[in-house]
Amino acid sequence: SLAPQRYPLTLAAQAVCAVAQVFILGLPSRIASVWFGPTEVSTACAVAVLGNQLGTAIGFLLPPVLVPNTPNDIDLMAHNIGIMFYGTAIVSTLLFFLTGVVFEEKPKYPPSHSQAVLQTKPPEDYSYKQSIINLFKNIPFILLLISYGIMTGAFYSVSTLLNQMIVTHYEGEEVNAGRIGLTLVVAGMVGSIICGLWLDYTKTYKQTTLIVYILSFIGLLVFTFTLDLGYLIVVFVTGGVLGFFMTGYLPLGFEFAVEITYPESEGTSSGLLNASAQIFGIVFTLVQGKLTTDYSPRAGNIFLCAWIFVGIILTALIKSDLRRHNVNSGIMNLDVKAVPVDSPVEPESTTLKIQSAL
């Protein structure tokens, strides 16, 4: 059932899933901006991020149940894996058809002034290439791109190597390692919602992002130096705190990026953030895994702590120019032409007043 001739097909299928993931991960900020107003957009983004984390939580729970460890019966294991994958395919296909039939591309009326401005631009005038160029000329976005990649990549690395870290100090506790991973994800879901609500209430994007970054750094330090104390309950608590802040950072990064890059497409900025997270995640997982294997989990975690400290510095350097918020508040009136943040000349078009479609 697990014949080698099927390996190329399996790898091809995994590649297709990986490509599909790129389109899914960038949806939260895009959907939130298009469908929700200024007082709820960050919460909507956080809820969408929560959906991704919910899937991760299910991933911690269901596979061990659907595919129990049967090393003496490979055929049974292959059968169980097939049931799990077929079930996933059925659910995904159902969601695909529901999305196509039920959901519309955008609401009849723009939910905010900033969206009304963007919708006055003909779709044929949009240039993906020019949008990418504008984003890479935006220095605050570049700083956020790197700092977001560091934080999210560190979270990916910790999640991937969590089981190895736990069983190193707590032999035979594979089940509890999965539960700790679930605790990390569930706490992160709560953190995402709270951070989204806080942003909608205060609009303090940079301050909140920086504070959550610092608390994530402290959380990882505490997790690192209490991991080997011999008390699993301590690991549950520190893992939950770590997940609360590190996952809570995800909607903050998305929304902060939309604010400082407006009027560029939310899908483009979030796509670049996810690409940065994947790159840092791969590098961090490889390096941390090597340090954990050759030395100890503490060495691998300290490596991540050093990088997160760099991310704190980069976040502190970001210029908080809330362009979307300013448009919605009537402080700034923009047309739909994208202008790099550090452009020395402000074109006349950026002072053109646009009537709201609301």
Side-chain angles (χ1 to χ4, degrees), residues 3-135:
Q5 58 266 28
R6 294 192 178 185
Y7 292 166
L9 182 60
T10 301
L11 291 175
Q14 289 176 334
V16 172
C17 291
V19 172
Q21 180 181 342
V22 174
F23 295 94
I24 298 298
L25 291 177
L27 287 178
S29 58
R30 173 65 179 175
I31 293 176
S33 295
V34 171
W35 283 91
F36 295 89
T39 61
E40 55 193 6
V41 62
S42 297
T43 303
C45 180
V47 171
V49 171
L50 180 148
N52 180 41
Q53 296 305 308
L54 177 61
T56 304
I58 294 174
F60 274 108
L61 285 176
L62 284 186
V65 176
L66 296 176
V67 189
N69 188 21
T70 55
N72 297 324
D73 193 342
I74 299 299
D75 289 336
L76 177 60
M77 182 181 296
H79 174 73
N80 291 334
I81 291 174
I83 291 176
M84 181 178 67
F85 285 162
Y86 282 127
T88 303
I90 291 172
V91 173
S92 300
T93 303
L94 177 62
L95 293 176
F96 170 76
F97 282 113
L98 285 176
T99 302
V101 173
V102 176
F103 292 95
E104 299 179 2
E105 181 180 359
K106 59 184 178 181
K108 185 177 181 180
Y109 299 105
S112 63
H113 190 186
S114 59
Q115 279 298 306
V117 171
L118 291 180
Q119 291 183 19
T120 62
K121 181 179 180 180
E124 58 270 17
D125 288 350
Y126 175 75
S127 170
Y128 180 75
K129 178 181 177 180
Q130 186 59 47
S131 179
I132 293 291
I133 293 174
N134 289 338
L135 288 175

Side-chain angles (χ1 to χ4, degrees), residues 334-346:
L334 297 172
D335 71 359
V336 295
K337 294 183 179 179
V339 181
V341 170
D342 297 318
S343 174
V345 179
E346 183 177 7

Side-chain angles (χ1 to χ4, degrees), residues 246-309:
M246 294 189 82
T247 306
Y249 174 83
L250 300 181
L252 297 179
F254 280 142
E255 286 297 287
F256 197 12
V258 173
E259 289 291 337
I260 63 178
T261 62
Y262 180 87
E264 300 297 343
S265 170
E266 303 88 349
T268 306
S269 60
S270 62
L272 289 175
L273 290 180
N274 282 316
S276 176
Q278 297 296 330
I279 292 171
F280 276 100
I282 292 171
V283 174
F284 285 172
T285 302
L286 292 175
V287 176
Q288 186 188 12
K290 180 67 173 176
L291 291 173
T292 300
T293 301
D294 292 350
Y295 298 98
S296 67
R298 177 174 295 184
N301 285 333
I302 290 176
F303 165 79
L304 293 183
C305 288
W307 275 99
I308 292 178
F309 184 77

